[in-house]
Amino acid sequence: MNKHLTWHDRAKGLTFQTKAFIGGKLVDAASGKTFDSVNPATNARLAAVAECDVEDANRAVAAARRAFDSGVWSRCAPGERKAVLLRLADLIRANLEDLALMESLDTGKPITNALTADIPLSADTIQWFAEAIDKVYDEIAPAGPGNLALIKRDALGVVACVVPWNYPLMMACWKIAPALAAGNSVVLKPAEQSPLTALRLAELAAEAGLPEGVLNVLPGYGETVGQALGRHMDVDCLAFTGSTEVGKYFLKYSAESNMKPAWLECGGKSPNLIFADCDDLEAAADAAAFGIWYDQGEVCTANSRLLVEESIKDRFVDLLKARAQNWQPGDPLNPATPMGAIVEARQTDRILSYIEKGKASARLVAGGEQKTIGGSSNFVTPTIFDGVSNDMTIAQEEIFGPVLSVMTFKTEEEAVRIANSSIYGLAASVWSNNLKRVMRLSDSIHVGTLSVNCMDAAGNIVPFGGFKQSGIGRDQSLHAFDKYTNLKTVWIKF
Ligand code: NAP
Ligand code: MG
């Protein structure tokens, strides 16, 4: 990038791909309708984007099915599939700055986060699954002499992916990378708040050599095009990331249509347990602040419930209050800004209404304010409630904002009981220097990912997903292939 240009200058020159991508072509919605994509940090309109609906879903699924049946991708040599996806990863990297800028403009997240996390991690995920394509072997069962029992993995066919706005490109890549690597065709629906990087991804995939129809992208609303995909009789699998409420709709859509598997990555209310035997409370406080304020707390694994052993609670809350000063919201395009804008006014209002509920039941010790910056009021200061009990609304419901609820415990048993008293089970963190305790907790805390003396441990190499109402199935790691392939037994007698 030209060092003399600011991100604001760059934003003025940025253009957006606004059409749907169906069967290898950029097209308007069949209805001709569009919807606005808005920058929540300024409330400025970024682009008018194709508003897809049922007819577009039908066209995209038909294109995906044709591509799948033709074998152009589903039956091509593994090395060929790998080469295309590796080129796609490289193209994402080559477009890092434009994609990061797009993501920041569309969602309000800090440009620095998009540059250092969202976009590079998206490329890494595409690369990781591309590399797996010619390294994963199938199985032979011990069927005895005169028998050869093969256990193979078949691609499913047409996979529909419906993703949220908090990590638009990254969540899309978490779905499409293993789905495409396994040989499926994909129809992707980005969130209405953040369609721009997914639309650009479609162009990059075509440039990388992905055959037409193998990846289709349908911007539009969940209730219309999202539901149409969920209910489609010719969609073989639905992969969703978003709220628990909408995740349940997909189970219903599946039950009322063709019984397609609906894999769900949903909400969380992750606990962060700080024991008095933690030997580095400063590091624990840094991580606790990151765990709730990074990306404005709009993170499914946000550590929104802080459980501190009673004897160190006051000291720990003081450490956190000091850190809140360093997490004040600001212009997302300033590279020094730690926290950006909330994704839209509706979500800002939702967060503020939880803050009001918190004020009525617990003690506000930091933040809790709405700020107007650059003409937009979608900014909320880093917020801490002390004196929370786990049955309060702010301890039970996912706020999806920069709001931390602090509770105390006296014993490990009590800590576990509180941690598990949630409809969610996505992630948890534990800070302790006691190995035996850590091992006990690794059994007793019911979550998909437990981070010990660290925060938000995740990566392509390990599965990601939730227990309980946080979801069904796992993204990331080779286990993700379980979602996008069917096991087939072929038994040969000779
Ligand atoms: P959301 O409202 O559930 O939306 C997610 C996606 O579903 C969007 O594309 C949305 O379309 C679509 N959708 C909405 N209503 C639908 C319907 N009736 N039928 C079919 N599709 C529908 O979630 P969000 O507000 O975008 O994201 C926040 C939520 O995602 C949080 O609860 C968070 O915990 C969760 N999340 C989970 C993970 C994870 O991996 N576990 C990761 C990130 C986020 P529209 O764009 O039109 O709304
Ligand atoms: Mg937007």
Side-chain angles (χ1 to χ4, degrees):
M1 154 184 180
N2 180 338
K3 295 281 179 272
H4 301 289
L5 289 180
T6 65
W7 288 105
H8 285 281
D9 296 330
R10 294 267 309 243
K12 283 179 209 134
L14 196 65
T15 56
F16 305 109
Q17 202 296 90
T18 59
K19 291 182 192 280
F21 189 69
I22 300 177
K25 294 183 182 58
L26 299 173
V27 294
D28 293 320
S31 67
K33 283 198 211 161
T34 62
F35 67 100
D36 286 345
S37 186
V38 171
N39 176 355
T42 61
N43 292 324
R45 188 178 86 154
L46 294 166
V49 174
E51 186 193 318
C52 295
D53 203 336
V54 180
E55 195 178 335
D56 306 285
N58 289 339
R59 287 180 189 178
V61 172
R65 174 65 58 195
R66 267 195 309 278
F68 185 78
D69 289 347
S70 78
V72 61
W73 182 253
S74 54
R75 289 193 301 275
C76 85
E80 244 174 80
R81 278 214 295 272
K82 180 169 95 168
V84 170
L85 292 179
L86 289 178
R87 276 199 296 277
L88 176 57
D90 285 344
L91 283 169
I92 292 172
R93 293 191 183 107
N95 287 273
L96 166 69
E97 294 186 348
D98 280 357
L99 286 166
L101 182 53
M102 239 177 246
E103 208 74 304
S104 172
L105 291 170
D106 216 2
T107 63
K109 71 168 60 201
I111 181 71
T112 298
N113 297 7
L115 270 176
T116 57
D118 293 68
I119 311 305
L121 294 178
S122 298
D124 290 353
T125 293
I126 300 280
Q127 179 177 340
W128 197 88
F129 283 100
E131 287 170 346
I133 291 174
D134 59 1
K135 296 177 188 64
V136 177
Y137 294 75
D138 287 336
E139 299 166 49
I140 298 177
N147 294 281
L148 176 62
L150 307 175
I151 303 171
K152 53 197 225 78
R153 282 181 181 272
D154 281 8
L156 301 174
V158 178
V159 174
C161 309
V162 177
V163 296
W165 44 259
N166 59 342
Y167 290 92
L169 188 67
M170 202 164 104
M171 289 303 107
C173 289
W174 280 22
K175 308 293 184 207
I176 72 160
L180 292 175
N184 298 287
S185 295
V186 169
V187 181
L188 168 68
K189 189 203 94 66
E192 70 192 60
Q193 296 88 348
S194 58
L196 299 175
T197 49
L199 295 169
R200 180 73 181 119
L201 178 70
E203 288 184 310
L204 296 177
E207 195 180 329
L210 197 70
E212 65 183 42
V214 175
L215 174 68
N216 306 272
V217 181
L218 302 179
Y221 296 112
E223 295 82 43
T224 53
V225 68
Q227 177 163 194
L229 292 170
R231 291 186 180 279
H232 206 292
M233 292 301 286
D234 204 29
V235 167
D236 298 295
C237 163
L238 196 295
F240 169 80
T241 292
S243 60
T244 290
E245 182 190 353
V246 175
K248 289 179 182 179
Y249 287 146
F250 280 100
L251 294 176
K252 183 167 117 118
Y253 300 156
S254 165
E256 290 176 357
S257 60
N258 62 345
M259 221 166 85
K260 61 181 77 60
W263 302 109
L264 309 175
E265 301 281 2
C266 300
K269 194 74 191 177
S270 299
N272 182 8
L273 283 61
I274 319 287
F275 287 88
D277 59 24
C278 163
D279 66 358
D280 191 349
L281 286 183
E282 296 282 341
D286 286 343
F290 177 94
I292 186 62
W293 296 325
Y294 184 81
D295 275 333
Q296 305 76 242
E298 296 167 317
V299 180
C300 51
T301 53
N303 279 222
S304 52
R305 291 187 296 150
L306 181 70
L307 279 54
V308 194
E309 192 162 339
E310 202 173 70
S311 58
I312 58 165
K313 197 269 290 175
D314 286 340
R315 191 170 145 217
F316 199 78
V317 169
D318 284 343
L319 292 176
L320 265 179
K321 283 200 300 205
R323 279 157 180 79
Q325 298 311 313
N326 305 327
W327 283 92
Q328 295 301 315
D331 172 8
L333 293 188
N334 176 346
T337 291
M339 194 158 82
I342 303 300
V343 72
E344 59 177 358
R346 192 171 46 168
Q347 177 68 6
T348 305
D349 291 344
R350 213 175 144 251
I351 295 168
L352 292 170
S353 82
Y354 277 113
I355 289 175
E356 287 313 308
K357 284 190 185 126
K359 283 181 186 166
S361 51
R363 206 163 59 250
L364 179 71
V365 295
E369 298 143 349
Q370 180 175 27
K371 284 243 157 116
T372 300
I373 297 170
S376 159
S377 300
N378 292 321
F379 294 87
V380 178
T381 54
T383 300
I384 306 173
F385 282 105
D386 197 356
V388 175
S389 71
N390 197 50
D391 53 4
M392 291 178 186
T393 303
I394 56 167
Q396 286 297 317
E397 295 184 15
E398 182 178 53
I399 298 174
F400 229 56
V403 182
L404 183 67
S405 294
V406 182
M407 293 168 257
T408 58
F409 62 84
K410 288 199 186 70
T411 64
E412 184 183 313
E413 291 67 34
E414 188 187 9
V416 170
R417 189 173 46 71
I418 297 171
N420 285 337
S421 297
S422 169
I423 62 164
Y424 298 112
L426 189 55
S429 309
V430 168
W431 295 80
S432 167
N433 223 28
N434 177 338
L435 181 64
K436 288 182 182 168
R437 183 201 302 288
V438 166
M439 294 316 297
R440 282 193 300 270
L441 293 171
S442 73
D443 285 334
S444 58
I445 297 186
H446 304 310
V447 294
T449 299
L450 181 68
S451 302
V452 179
N453 296 328
C454 61
M455 172 64 52
D456 270 345
N460 296 314
I461 57 170
V462 285
F464 180 98
F467 283 28
K468 301 192 268 185
Q469 292 187 43
S470 287
I472 303 172
R474 293 293 179 269
D475 281 329
Q476 301 283 67
S477 83
L478 295 180
H479 295 284
F481 284 123
D482 295 346
K483 302 205 290 202
Y484 304 113
T485 54
N486 257 333
L487 287 179
K488 179 188 276 178
T489 298
V490 179
W491 192 305
I492 304 164
K493 225 170 172 45
F494 56 93

